[in-house]
């Protein structure tokens, strides 16, 4: 009996010591080491890839932002502020309906299929599907509405945008709805509107886009891209300089 109690006490003591050691090693020492290495080697990325302007943090280069006008009375969705470069659509974003104390945005995709709102091609029996121009909802309706808005917003007195000029990323959201980048083609498409709204030369705006275009990772991975937040910060400084 005494041996059994003694063995149990020793096992409990060993287990307790193991818990304490693992708690200190895994819960204190390891996180401190990893945090220290990250801060020493990659401090910018470790702190959320913050972007600063005028000494203040204005966002992260990993998360997209919208550039809208203040919401007017009776409006459910604010209008875009056309003085700024606009990001991709964010149709997949939702609102937090569980804990309404916090007005959070929930990242996500639309979950609409590629043929949502499509119909059989009227040009023959090839079996292909095309967007129904009369579709009131679904992916086709979203894309068509976004395309019409891009054409309308970016057409100026001396530059007319054709629907065929609109790149894919201008009318579709990313899987997260938070893509911070747009394609150089979409940035260039907005250049004339940006120049007109901010009283700038189009060439200066196009040069700004070129300067903020990132190439493929390692020269072959991904596509060229433009970070919208960084581009708009540079635009703000350009407007101040020219003004």
């Amino acid at each position: 009996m005494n041996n059994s109690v003694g063995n149990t006490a020793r096992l409990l003591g060993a287990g307790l010591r193991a818990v304490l050691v693992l708690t200190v090693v895994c819960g204190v020492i390891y996180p401190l080491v990893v945090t220290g290495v990250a801060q020493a080697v990659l401090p910018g990325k470790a702190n959320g890839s913050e972007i600063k302007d005028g000494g203040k943090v204005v966002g992260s280069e990993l998360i997209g932002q919208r550039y809208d006008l203040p919401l007017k009375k009776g409006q459910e969705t604010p209008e875009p502020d056309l003085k700024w470069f606009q990001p991709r659509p964010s149709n997949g974003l939702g609102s937090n309906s569980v804990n309404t104390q916090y007005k959070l945005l929930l990242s996500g995709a639309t979950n609409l299929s590629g043929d949502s709102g499509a119909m059989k091609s009227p040009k023959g029996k090839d079996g292909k599907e095309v967007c129904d121009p009369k579709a009131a909802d679904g992916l086709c309706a979203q894309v068509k509405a976004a395309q019409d808005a891009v054409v309308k917003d970016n057409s100026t007195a001396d530059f007319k945008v054709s629907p065929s000029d609109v790149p894919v990323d201008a009318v579709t959201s990313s899987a997260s709805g938070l893509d911070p980048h747009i394609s150089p083609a979409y940035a260039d498409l907005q250049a004339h509107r940006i120049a007109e709204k901010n009283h700038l030369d189009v060439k200066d705006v196009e040069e700004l886009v070129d300067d903020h275009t990132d190439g493929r990772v390692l020269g072959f991975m991904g596509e060229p891209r433009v970070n919208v937040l960084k581009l708009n910060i540079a635009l703000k400084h350009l407007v101040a300089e020219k003004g």
Side-chain angles (χ1 to χ4, degrees):
M1 181 68 179
N2 291 336
N3 288 338
S4 177
V5 172
N7 290 336
T8 301
R10 283 194 296 272
L11 289 174
L12 289 175
L16 181 60
R17 288 193 297 271
V19 169
L20 291 175
V21 170
L22 289 174
T23 299
V24 172
V25 172
C26 299
V28 179
I29 297 176
Y30 176 74
L32 288 176
V33 170
V34 171
T35 301
V37 171
Q39 291 292 336
V41 179
L42 299 168
K45 295 184 181 299
N47 292 322
S49 301
E50 296 172 340
I51 296 178
K52 295 183 178 181
D53 182 38
K56 296 181 179 179
V57 176
V58 294
S60 168
E61 62 180 278
L62 304 177
I63 300 177
Q65 298 185 21
R66 292 200 55 79
Y67 301 86
D68 295 326
L69 295 169
L71 194 64
K72 296 178 182 178
K73 186 176 181 180
Q75 281 186 329
E76 293 185 0
T77 304
E79 297 176 358
D81 189 343
L82 299 179
K83 293 188 300 182
W84 303 103
F85 285 95
Q86 293 297 314
R88 296 181 65 172
S90 52
N91 297 325
L93 293 182
S95 58
N96 172 30
S97 60
V98 178
N99 187 347
T100 55
Q101 180 180 356
Y102 302 99
K103 294 183 178 180
L104 303 178
L105 288 178
L106 306 181
S107 171
T110 62
N111 291 328
L112 295 173
S113 65
D115 61 356
S116 176
M119 65 178 187
K120 294 293 184 182
S121 173
K123 294 185 178 181
K125 299 180 179 179
D126 52 11
K128 293 183 179 179
E129 292 185 333
V130 296
C131 275
D132 182 355
K134 297 181 180 179
D137 53 22
L139 185 62
C140 282
Q142 287 186 2
V143 169
K144 184 65 169 62
Q147 184 185 55
D148 291 343
V150 170
V151 170
K152 176 178 177 292
D153 291 343
N154 291 283
S155 293
T156 64
D158 56 357
F159 179 76
K160 300 301 179 185
V161 177
S162 168
S164 61
D165 297 331
V166 180
V168 173
D169 62 302
V171 297
T172 57
S173 58
S174 64
S176 67
L178 298 172
D179 192 348
H181 299 102
I182 56 175
S183 65
Y186 186 27
D188 286 334
L189 185 70
Q190 301 182 62
H192 287 77
R193 183 248 302 161
I194 293 292
E196 181 181 78
K197 295 291 184 181
N198 293 284
H199 309 290
L200 298 171
D201 190 280
V202 175
K203 290 184 178 180
D204 290 336
V205 179
E206 291 175 338
E207 183 178 340
L208 199 68
V209 172
D210 292 339
D211 291 342
H212 288 80
T213 299
D214 298 322
R216 293 178 171 86
V217 178
L218 299 179
F220 67 94
M221 290 191 295
E223 295 293 332
R225 61 207 182 280
V226 181
N227 188 287
V228 181
L229 176 55
K230 289 182 178 180
L231 182 60
N232 276 331
I233 290 173
L235 173 63
K236 184 186 80 170
H237 293 302
L238 178 64
V239 170
E241 177 187 332
K242 296 294 183 180

